[in-house]
Structures are given as C-alpha cells and as structure tokens.
C-alpha cells in the first residue's frame, strides 16, 4: 500500500519535470535554429562578398585577396575559390588544394550549407556557383566559378551546450521546488481527510450512535462521509438488534429453566410416590422439548441470516402436502374442540421445496391450533392465480388489534404483553415463516378482522423464483409462534 500523499507529490513533481523538459527542449531547439540560421546567413554573406572579388582581366580570371583578420592564419574563417575544372583561383593560406572540395552547390542568393571537418575541427561550409562578369557585362567567354567559405562551429556549439546545461539545471531545480511546494499544498489539502480518519479511528462499539456529519467536509468527501454515516446507522441498528435479541433469548430461556429447577427442587424436598416422580419427569420433559424447539428455531434463523438455507425443488400436490402436515395437529384440534374447515383447490400441483414448505405450514397450523378460542374454528384454504399458489390459514378467537397484525413477524414479539406464555411459545415461528417464504420466492402477510386472525402465504407454482439446491435439507419443523 502506498501513501496518497507521496503518490500525489511524486506525480506533481514528475508532471512538472516532464512539462519543463519538453519546454526546455523546445527552447533549445528554437535557440539552436535561430543561432544556426544566423551563422549560415553570415556564411552566405561572406560567400557573396568573396564572389565580388573575382574579376576577368584580359581574358584571365583573377581573385583578389579579401581583407579582414578573420581570413588570416589566426582567424576562424577559411575560403576556397575555383573554376568548374577544379583549378583553384584563391584560397586561405591554411588550406591545401584538397581542402573544402566542392560538394553540393547552391547560388549566391542561396548557397548550399553543409557540415564538414577541417583539420579535426567541425565547420559549417557554404558553397555557391556563379558566372563571373566583366565591367558589368558578360565576358565574351563566359566563366563559371565556385566559392566555398567555412567557419568553425566551436563557439556556436559551446553556446548551445551551455544553454542545454542551463535548461537542465533549471528543469531539475524547478521540479524539486514544485515537489516541495506540492508536498506542502497536499499536506494542507489532506488535513480534512486526516481529521476524518482520526474521527473514524476513535469510533468503537460504544460510540456507534455518533455521526461524522458534513460540517466542514470538502465536497469530494461528502459521498464518503454520507456512506460512512449510513454504515454507522446500520451497524448501530445491528448491534441494537443483537443486544435486544440476546436479552430476549436470555429472558425466554430463564423462565423454562427456572420451571425445570423448581420441579426438580420440589421432587428433592421429600421422598414421593413413583407416580409423582413420573409426573415430574413428564413435566421436565415437556419443558425440555419446548426449550429444544426454541433452540432449533434460533439455529434455523441463524442459518437463514447467513444464507446457508437454499431450496430443493420437486413436484407435489399442495392439498396432499397440507393434509399430511395437519395430521400432527389433528389431536390437539380435537382436544380443544376446534372445527376445521378445508377449502382446498384440488388438485393443485406445484414445484417447490417440500421440506421448507412443511416448516412454514407446520408453524401456521401450530399457531392456529394454539391460539384459536376453545370450541372455535380454523379455516385452511388454497387457491391459485397467475402462476401463484396461495395458502390461507385463519382462526377465531383473536384478541389482537388490526394494527398489531404486522408485528407478528417480529422476533420474540407476542400479543401477550405480560409474557405469561413464556416457555411455551417464544415468538419465533412466524418470523421463521417470513424468512422461509422469501427463500421459496414468495411472501407472507397477516391480518386481523372481526376477531379472526388470518395468514396468507403466496409462493410460485413453479420454481423459477426460488434458489437452487445447496447444503442439507431444512429440518421438518421449528418452534411454534404465539403471536395471536
């Protein structure tokens, strides 16, 4: 992991260096072009001046010696004048007949410029050809001559080298200065980010209620702070739910455990008849079964929360599946003298997970048989429309208000505010049904009307809307709910 500050400073310094390097190269090339152009213009002017020293006298071509110290032995300018046959008419004393041999030839108005070597030194040479005239008129015999003038480039190369070093030094110095300046600027710019990081680092599970806020946050950090505040809100809700859930679990387990200990203490208080021991053991077994049902429901809910439950599909007849599931509750219904009204659409074939569907319907049947009034009725009905199967289970004797119907799916919620039924129904069954209905690709709703509590489960007739097979099959039944 690299530091954003270092990356920004390095990027700024490299960008400045690259920009300055490009600018320096452009300046160097421009100055080189200007100086070289002036150098070549001087050579062309000298070539024209030397051409003016060539005359025709009595049919002979002669070249006068140029004046000026630069053409002397110590000067840096040399020349050579010859005819087209290569006969040298005039040359600098330092040259031999072979030096400055003619190459490409231009005109006096535009001599040909070339780079050359003379006595181990670099020179630039200008070569031009022209027609020699006499008394302003062309001679009877037209004579053509070639002039070559060369000058050492040592001074020019030295100037250009110094310019290159100067530009390089300026580029390096400015790049370093830009890096230092950008470091200070970026340090100042990142102050809000550092403050935000410190505030985030100070948060723990005891300060999830705090929010970072948008106070003096830069515009670029507003989305980040907003998302972090949203995350903190969700974490606070999750921690709150966990604390409430843990407290509810402790409360629900405390009562049956207390009942279990009380029964055991009573049995140990004195010697009793075998029948009394049998009744006490049966009571303890019932309490243990209720606790086991609640623990199994909690485990199933935990698996649902972590996405470990998936649907396995197969074809089934919904009416047959409901009647098979009802057999476990038929005895309880007869004991409480409940009338069961079946309104099934037969046959109703569907492709779904039979195990998950049985968990849901078992909780609905247990809820109805447990909370219907003595001698009341239960209605079990099915229907289908637009590829959706609907199961409705309703019972009489409901004491809930209509506005409380939506709360029955909350975990550990019961209509018995005093929790008088603690240990028998823990308020997890309908919450479990809601989660399983989602896995089955459907939904579940509850309503209260005229003293009747009604739940409708809607699931697809085909498996297109539910998850694929994964993991073990879900247990056949979970703990019941006492929401009604």
């Amino acid at each position: 992991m690299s530091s954003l500050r270092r990356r920004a400073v390095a990027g700024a310094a490299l960008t400045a260096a690259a920009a300055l390097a490009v600018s320096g190269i452009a300046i160097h090339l421009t100055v080189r072009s200007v100086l070289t152009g002036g150098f070549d213009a001087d050579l062309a002017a000298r070539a024209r001046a030397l051409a003016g020293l060539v005359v025709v006298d009595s049919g002979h071509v002669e070249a006068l010696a140029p004046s000026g110290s630069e053409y002397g032995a110590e000067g840096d300018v040399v020349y050579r004048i010859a005819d087209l046959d290569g006969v040298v008419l005039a040359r600098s004393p330092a040259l031999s007949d072979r030096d400055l041999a003619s190459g490409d030839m231009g005109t006096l108005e535009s001599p040909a410029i070339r780079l050359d070597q003379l006595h181990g030194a670099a020179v630039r040479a200008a070569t031009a050809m022209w027609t020699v005239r006499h008394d302003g008129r062309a001679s009877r015999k037209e004579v053509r001559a070639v002039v070559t003038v060369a000058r050492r480039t040592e001074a020019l190369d030295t100037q250009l080298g110094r310019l290159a070093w100067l530009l390089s030094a300026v580029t390096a110095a400015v790049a370093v200065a830009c890096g230092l300046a950008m470091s200070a600027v970026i340090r100042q710019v990142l102050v809000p980010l550092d403050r935000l990081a410190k505030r985030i680092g100070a948060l723990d599970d005891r300060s999830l209620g705090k929010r970072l806020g948008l106070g003096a946050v830069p515009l670029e950090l507003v989305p980040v702070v907003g998302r972090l505040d949203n995350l903190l809100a969700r974490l606070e809700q999750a921690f709150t739910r966990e604390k409430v859930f843990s407290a509810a679990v402790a409360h629900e387990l405390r009562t049956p455990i207390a009942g279990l200990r009380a029964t055991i203490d009573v049995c140990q208080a004195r010697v009793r008849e075998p029948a009394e021991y049998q009744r006490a053991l049966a009571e303890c077994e019932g309490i243990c079964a209720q606790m086991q049902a609640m623990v199994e429901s909690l485990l199933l809910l935990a698996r649902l929360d972590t996405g470990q439950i998936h649907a396995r599909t197969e074809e089934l007849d919904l009416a047959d599946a409901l009647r098979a599931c009802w057999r476990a509750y038929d005895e309880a219904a007869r004991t409480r003298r409940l009338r069961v009204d079946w309104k099934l659409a037969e046959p109703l074939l569907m492709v779904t997970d039979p195990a998950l569907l049985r968990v849901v319907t078992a909780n609905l049947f247990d809820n109805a048989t447990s909370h219907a009034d003595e001698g009341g009725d239960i209605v079990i009905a099915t229907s289908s429309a637009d590829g959706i199967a609907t199961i409705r289970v309703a019972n009489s004797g409901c004491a809930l208000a209509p506005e409380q119907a939506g709360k029955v799916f909350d975990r550990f919620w019961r209509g018995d505010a005093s929790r008088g039924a603690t240990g028998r129904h823990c308020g997890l069954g309908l919450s479990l049904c809601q989660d399983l209905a989602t896995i089955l690709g459907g939904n579940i709703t509850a309503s209260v009307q005229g003293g009747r509590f009604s739940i409708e489960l809607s699931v697809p007739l085909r498996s297109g809307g539910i998850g694929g097979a994964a993991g073990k099959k879900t247990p056949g039944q979970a703990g019941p709910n006492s929401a009604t």
Side-chain angles (χ1 to χ4, degrees), residues 56-375:
V56 178
D57 185 15
S58 302
H60 298 285
V61 181
E62 296 179 357
L64 302 178
S67 61
S69 60
E70 66 270 20
Y71 293 103
E74 302 296 331
D76 62 345
V77 181
V78 293
Y79 68 94
R80 179 180 185 273
I81 302 174
D83 60 18
L84 290 182
D85 296 328
V87 178
V88 177
L89 303 177
R91 58 182 172 79
S92 296
L95 296 179
S96 66
D97 290 343
R98 296 180 181 180
D99 291 334
L100 296 181
S102 301
D104 294 336
M105 293 180 288
T107 64
L108 289 178
E109 289 74 19
S110 179
I113 306 295
R114 72 178 188 275
L115 294 174
D116 205 344
Q117 290 284 328
L118 182 63
H119 303 160
V123 297
R124 290 181 73 85
T127 303
M129 182 184 68
W130 84 102
T131 301
V132 181
R133 296 181 181 275
H134 177 66
D135 293 336
R137 299 187 300 273
S139 63
R140 292 178 182 179
K141 182 180 180 182
E142 192 175 75
V143 178
R144 293 180 180 274
V146 178
V147 60
T148 300
V149 59
R151 187 177 180 182
R152 292 184 178 89
T153 61
E154 182 180 357
L156 177 62
D157 293 339
T158 300
Q159 291 178 349
L160 292 175
R162 289 175 179 174
L163 178 62
W165 277 106
L166 177 62
L167 292 175
S168 299
V170 170
T171 298
V174 173
V176 172
C178 286
L180 295 175
M182 287 302 299
S183 177
V185 171
I186 292 173
R187 185 181 299 108
Q188 185 64 30
V189 169
L190 293 181
V191 166
L193 188 60
D194 293 336
R195 292 174 181 170
L196 180 62
K198 290 180 180 179
R199 293 170 62 186
I200 294 174
L203 296 175
D204 54 25
D205 58 342
R206 296 183 299 276
S207 56
L208 292 177
K210 297 181 181 179
R211 297 295 178 266
L212 300 175
L214 299 177
V217 174
L219 184 62
E220 292 78 8
L221 292 179
V222 168
V224 177
V225 173
R227 293 296 181 88
L228 287 174
D229 280 344
N230 187 24
L231 176 61
L232 286 174
R234 294 200 303 269
L235 285 174
E236 182 184 16
Q237 294 173 1
F239 272 70
T240 301
R241 285 196 302 269
E242 180 184 0
K243 292 177 181 178
V244 172
F245 184 78
S246 299
V249 170
H251 184 89
E252 297 295 338
L253 289 175
R254 182 178 60 182
T255 300
I257 291 175
L260 191 63
R261 290 193 61 182
T263 303
I264 295 174
D265 290 342
V266 169
C267 288
Q268 291 179 334
R270 59 182 178 83
V271 178
R272 300 179 182 274
E273 296 294 327
E276 293 180 301
Y277 284 120
Q278 291 293 334
R279 285 194 298 271
L281 289 174
E283 184 177 349
C284 291
E285 183 182 12
I287 295 174
C288 290
Q290 294 162 9
M291 293 172 61
Q292 181 182 5
M294 184 179 70
V295 171
E296 289 176 351
S297 295
L298 289 172
L299 291 174
L300 186 55
L301 283 171
R303 294 179 62 194
L304 288 170
D305 288 341
T306 55
Q308 299 180 25
I309 303 297
H310 300 274
R312 287 183 175 181
T313 60
E314 62 181 68
E315 188 176 65
L316 56 84
D317 185 291
L318 183 58
D320 291 344
L322 292 178
R323 286 195 175 94
C325 183
W326 174 256
R327 294 191 189 102
Y329 304 94
D330 186 62
E331 180 64 27
R334 285 199 300 268
T335 301
R336 302 194 64 216
R337 295 180 292 106
L338 300 177
R339 185 178 69 259
V340 181
D341 187 4
W342 293 86
K343 298 181 179 180
L344 305 182
E346 300 183 274
L348 185 55
L349 298 179
M350 61 187 302
V351 177
T352 188
D353 188 308
L356 297 184
L357 182 64
R358 186 177 184 279
V359 173
V360 177
T361 55
N363 278 283
L364 298 184
F365 290 163
D366 182 83
N367 193 79
T369 55
S370 298
H371 301 289
D373 55 328
E374 190 83 19

Side-chain angles (χ1 to χ4, degrees), residues 370-427:
S370 298
H371 301 289
D373 55 328
E374 190 83 19
D377 66 276
I378 297 174
V379 176
I380 303 173
T382 61
S383 62
S384 65
D386 300 325
I388 301 295
T390 301
I391 304 171
R392 184 172 67 89
V393 179
N395 62 271
S396 59
C398 179
L400 295 179
E403 59 271 14
Q404 292 179 300
K407 296 182 179 181
V408 298
F409 299 109
D410 294 343
R411 296 180 183 181
F412 292 110
W413 187 88
R414 291 195 304 271
D416 177 18
S418 65
R419 293 181 178 259
T422 296
R424 184 168 182 270
H425 294 108
C426 57

